[in-house]
């Protein structure tokens, strides 16, 4: 009897199939060729029939030409750094599609001459924070602080409280950033306490460029502590630069201790720096807001060119500021009763055989915002042993372990993903049955 593997098709014949030709147009030839070769190898090993090689190759192809995969963030962390921080609004996603082609990002169509880059995004940011005399945008929050320091304090001193020399993710440290662009740090106070007279003594007669106020956004110091607010620092004879971190533009009732750009500027800060992809809920970028002359000088600084944002970021930022409420601010204001009702509907759809329960839960802000703040939420509790299978399934669903159960918290899950949660849990439950 002839060996059916001898009928294994040639690579060029498989690649000539119309379905794979169309896939190559969509994904690129390299990915399609790799899938075809793996499918042919399956045939040679006797694990696929010769007539099914094209279908096997198609099944091996990714949905898009990127290794980045969409996931369901059911961790209960609203701004999850490992999951890309703020998910964009539908308006911002649509803006990205527009910006992907040729645009008028730096052209005045009325005159045919060069226009200010990203003027729409900058105007929207200025409207959102009218306390700012001028605004500028760079590629991330660290870049915003680096640009201020390089432009104002290279070769000079920056005064900062010892309790605000923070480290954030991946070993990144604020003091090392400041020193890397030529500033000398003048530390004042102790780890837990600093007073206005400590700052005043440091700026008296020194080469101080500015006083830096850093919001310790990813930790809390409690007990015998004291710090100096911006309104008191603003009485000193040097500028005050405030790194608020999270990108909260205006005060929020659920985050009473989180500094906002508008309140910080009203308190007397010369410049405020912040991230755009945290509580603002937009794309990754760094915001610079404050005194018109200072911000304009930052914009014109030679190093600003190296920190310039691209057209995609500008389009998404403008849509975030002018469009409907983005997912992160929406999550901050979510009604826990509504979330619990969603959890009950998901549990009903799953059926009793899964052992799922709808339970109240407590979520976190994340992303270096609102440390210690508890956000009321609701979750679907399932078997903790299902976590790996849910995380590695066709649509990855990430929850958090809590008291022997896996909680699929709904605070950061849009209602449009509820069906995906149901399908993922059903599949894992069936596989483990």
């Amino acid at each position: 009897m002839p060996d059916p593997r001898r009928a294994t098709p040639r690579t060029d014949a498989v690649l000539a199939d119309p379905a794979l030709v169309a896939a190559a147009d969509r994904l690129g030839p390299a990915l399609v060729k790799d899938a075809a070769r793996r499918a042919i190898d399956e045939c040679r090993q006797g694990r696929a029939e010769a007539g099914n090689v094209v279908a096997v190759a198609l099944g091996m192809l990714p949905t898009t030409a990127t290794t980045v995969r969409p996931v369901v963030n059911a961790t209960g962390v609203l701004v999850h750094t490992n999951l890309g921080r703020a998910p964009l609004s539908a308006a911002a996603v649509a803006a990205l599609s527009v910006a992907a082609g040729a645009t008028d990002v730096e052209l005045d169509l009325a005159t045919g001459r060069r226009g200010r880059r990203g003027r729409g995004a900058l105007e929207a940011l200025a409207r959102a924070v009218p306390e700012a005399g001028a605004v500028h945008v760079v590629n991330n929050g660290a870049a915003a602080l680096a640009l201020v320091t390089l432009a104002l304090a290279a070769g000079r001193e920056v005064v900062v409280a010892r309790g605000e020399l923070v480290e954030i993710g991946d070993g990144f440290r604020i003091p090392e950033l400041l020193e890397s662009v030529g500033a000398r740090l003048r530390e004042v106070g102790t780890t837990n306490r600093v007073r206005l007279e400590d700052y005043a003594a440091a700026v008296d007669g020194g080469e101080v460029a500015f006083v830096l106020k850093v919001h310790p956004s990813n930790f809390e110091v409690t007990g015998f502590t004291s710090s100096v607010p911006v309104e008191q620092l603003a009485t000193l004879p040097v500028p005050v630069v405030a790194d608020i971190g999270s990108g909260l533009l205006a005060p929020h009732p659920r985050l009473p201790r989180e500094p906002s750009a508008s309140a910080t500027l009203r308190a007397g800060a010369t410049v405020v720096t912040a991230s755009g992809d945290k509580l603002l809920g937009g794309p990754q970028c760094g915001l610079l807001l404050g005194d018109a002359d200072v911000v304009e000088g930052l914009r014109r600084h030679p190093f600003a060119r190296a920190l310039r944002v691209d057209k995609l970021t500008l389009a998404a930022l403008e849509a975030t500021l002018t469009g409907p409420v983005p997912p992160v601010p929406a999550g901050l204001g979510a009604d826990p009763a509504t979330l619990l009702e969603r959890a009950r509907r998901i549990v009903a759809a799953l059926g009793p055989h899964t052992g799922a329960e709808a339970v109240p839960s407590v979520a976190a802000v994340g992303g270096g915002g609102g440390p210690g703040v508890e956000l009321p939420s609701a979750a679907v509790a399932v078997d903790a042993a299902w976590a790996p299978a849910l995380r590695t399934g066709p649509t990855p669903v990430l929850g958090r372990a809590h008291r022997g159960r896996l909680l699929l918290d709904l605070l950061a899950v849009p209602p449009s993903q509820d069906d995906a949660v149901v399908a993922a849990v059903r599949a894992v439950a069936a596989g483990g049955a």
Side-chain angles (χ1 to χ4, degrees), residues 130-275:
E131 293 83 358
V135 301
H136 185 56
V137 180
V138 292
N139 52 17
N140 62 34
L145 183 55
L147 179 58
V148 175
T149 306
L150 177 62
L152 302 184
R156 302 175 67 193
E157 292 182 343
V158 172
V159 177
V160 60
R162 286 189 172 88
E164 297 175 8
L165 294 173
V166 305
E167 175 177 315
I168 55 176
D170 200 27
F172 172 80
R173 294 176 173 177
I174 291 291
E176 293 175 355
L177 170 70
L178 302 178
E179 292 173 336
S180 74
V181 291
R184 301 193 307 273
L185 295 188
R186 183 79 173 270
E187 301 174 17
V188 296
T190 62
T191 302
N192 59 316
R193 291 179 70 82
V194 64
R195 302 178 180 86
L196 181 61
E197 50 263 37
D198 296 324
Y199 289 98
V203 303
D204 184 24
E207 295 184 343
V208 175
F210 60 81
V211 168
L212 176 62
K213 178 72 175 175
V214 180
H215 176 53
S217 56
N218 56 3
F219 67 95
E220 285 187 301
V221 178
T222 60
F224 187 59
T225 65
S226 67
S227 62
V228 183
V230 169
E231 54 261 38
Q232 292 184 25
L233 295 177
T235 65
L236 299 170
V238 294
V240 176
V241 174
D243 179 14
I244 64 171
S246 69
L248 190 67
L249 299 188
H252 193 284
R254 283 190 172 173
L255 303 172
R257 297 191 302 275
E258 192 76 13
S260 69
S262 58
T264 304
L265 288 169
R266 284 197 301 271
T270 306
V271 176
V272 168
T273 64
S275 296

Side-chain angles (χ1 to χ4, degrees), residues 298-313:
L298 298 173
R299 185 181 76 85
R300 299 301 304 169
H301 192 278
F303 192 62
R305 176 75 177 197
L307 308 176
R308 191 174 76 171
V309 292
D310 72 338
K311 60 182 180 177
L312 299 176
T313 300

Side-chain angles (χ1 to χ4, degrees), residues 379-406:
V380 175
V382 298
D383 191 334
W386 293 351
L390 284 169
R391 188 179 63 247
T392 57
T395 300
V397 177
L398 287 83
R400 74 175 185 275
H402 181 71
R403 296 182 178 178
R405 299 280 275 168
L406 179 68

Side-chain angles (χ1 to χ4, degrees), residues 335-346:
D335 175 24
T338 301
L339 295 174
L340 186 59
E341 181 56 34
R342 280 178 56 199
R344 287 169 176 155
R345 288 198 297 268
I346 290 173

